[in-house]
Amino acid sequence: MIPYGRQNITQADIDAVTEVLQSDFLTQGPAVPAFEQRLCELTTAKYAVAVNSATSALHLACLALGVGPGSRVWTSPISFVASANCARYCGADVDFVDIEPESGNMSVAKLRQKLEAARDNNCLPQVVIPVHLAGSSCDMKQIHDLGQQFGFSIIEDASHAVGASYQNEPVGTCRYSDITVFSFHPVKIITTAEGGMALTNNLQFAEKMRLLRSHGITRDADLMTEPSHGAWYYQQLLLGFNYRMTDMQAALGLSQSHRLQSIVQKRQLLAEKYHHLLAELPLQLPPLDKINKSAWHLFIIRLNDKTTRHAVFAGMREAGIGVNVHYIPIHTQPYYQQLGFDWGDLPVAEDFYERIISLPMFPELTNEQQKFIADTLARLLA
Ligand SMILES: *Cc1c(COP(=O)(O)O)cnc(C)c1O
């Protein structure tokens, strides 16, 4: 089976992890700060906080922004459940903003409408979490403008978008957001096996997330409530978690990060090739934006005739092509239905869901495999 996504591991990656295994520190050594530093260089963000998953990063980002019981957090329904769950961990109420059908990203027009209605009903959100679906940035400038106007904070869920650009700057600058989150799960652009990173230009947010990722414990005497008892002493200031990234993971991520550009370039070439191969088929292709460059985590096609989706999907799998669907609208998950959401709430997202198929997209995908994928798709749609 050709998978829909796959990690890219080189001998250099293996050597980097091996070196950590032979060193003094498997965790809490020098590799984590080195990887954080590297992500700051790649994105120009001032601070980076490495954690054990993007889910943890989203949770800490919500907490750093003061999300708690009674808070309102809005996100996109076309995302992985973690984009919404992070707010639920904090006891907040979640709501969803419908998408634009071309990119699958949160619609700025729908967001504005929903904000205007919320202002009239006195229920504006504290935080909005746009998701850069498939690696293509949301219109962050406009979302940021709305944030200024309506007074909400912004977390970019850029789990798909490390290495992407927006208005000629890397995703992760946090120019138009408070915090940006990356995922390093193996199917994502670069990997640490499990892992995530929160980037910010705000020192208070960074310090809060650092404290919370390790039990809320500090060894910094300046933060303590009484004089240190000695060199062993630490204080727990907050109820935090064990969300730390290990040095083995950070070494892998650091090694991978040196290939970020070439990995994204390769994905871009694969996307262009798909555009060429699939141009004549009865389906819509994801936009090839030359200015806001996608990282091409996913290649999501939309079938013109949604009644064929089931058969096309099954036929592709039968042919050994590991297609997938990204995503089942979050609000239709039983957990969210129990909270009062239902089918029909977000019609554009639901229509999108019924048409989409994610084609295989990973750096080692060959020309022959792509041709085979395109030919199979053409056959099934004929
Ligand atoms: C993968 C993903 C996450 C969660 O990432 P983990 O590192 O697996 O926790 C969150 N949001 C989106 C959009 C994702 O695709």
Side-chain angles (χ1 to χ4, degrees), residues 301-361:
I301 57 167
R302 287 172 290 145
L303 303 184
N304 290 352
D305 178 2
K306 60 182 170 187
T307 64
T308 62
R309 201 267 298 262
H310 202 88
V312 171
F313 187 96
M316 295 291 278
R317 283 272 178 103
E318 223 163 274
I321 300 164
V323 287
N324 219 314
V325 168
H326 298 94
Y327 288 93
I328 306 155
I330 300 174
H331 68 285
T332 69
Q333 295 290 352
Y335 172 78
Y336 284 94
Q337 289 204 20
Q338 280 166 35
L339 295 174
F341 297 98
D342 207 347
W343 290 100
D345 290 349
L346 297 143
V348 184
E350 292 166 28
D351 181 71
F352 183 83
Y353 166 60
E354 289 166 359
R355 295 175 188 281
I356 51 174
I357 296 179
S358 298
L359 299 183
M361 171 54 91

Side-chain angles (χ1 to χ4, degrees), residues 100 103 105-108 111 130-132 136-146 166-167 176 292:
E100 54 180 43
S103 63
N105 281 337
M106 180 182 283
S107 157
V108 173
L111 176 60
V131 180
H132 304 323
S136 173
S137 179
C138 296
D139 197 340
M140 290 311 303
K141 169 89 173 66
Q142 290 204 55
I143 294 172
H144 181 259
D145 287 348
L146 290 172
Y166 174 68
Q167 295 186 345
Y176 299 115
N292 302 318

Side-chain angles (χ1 to χ4, degrees), residues 150-196:
F150 290 91
F152 57 81
S153 303
I154 300 170
I155 301 169
E156 292 175 65
D157 184 345
S159 290
H160 301 178
V162 63
S165 65
Y166 174 68
Q167 295 186 345
N168 293 313
E169 289 186 336
V171 166
T173 59
C174 301
R175 182 183 297 284
Y176 299 115
S177 65
D178 297 279
I179 298 171
T180 300
V181 168
F182 292 138
S183 171
F184 307 122
H185 184 277
V187 295
K188 308 283 164 73
I189 307 294
I190 58 173
T191 190
T192 61
E194 296 283 356

Side-chain angles (χ1 to χ4, degrees), residues 244-286:
R244 295 186 304 263
M245 178 181 277
T246 68
D247 271 44
M248 296 179 289
Q249 292 169 307
L252 177 55
L254 183 59
S255 177
Q256 293 244 314
S257 75
H258 297 303
R259 300 198 303 286
L260 179 60
Q261 252 202 329
S262 67
I263 288 173
V264 171
Q265 251 161 26
K266 184 74 213 287
R267 288 173 176 273
Q268 169 78 22
L269 288 177
L270 292 169
E272 286 169 12
K273 180 96 184 171
Y274 269 139
H275 265 259
H276 179 69
L277 291 169
L278 306 176
E280 306 302 325
L281 297 184
L283 49 81
Q284 304 301 311
L285 293 163

Side-chain angles (χ1 to χ4, degrees), residues 58-69:
L58 287 165
H59 184 194
L60 296 188
C62 285
L63 291 171
L65 294 175
V67 173

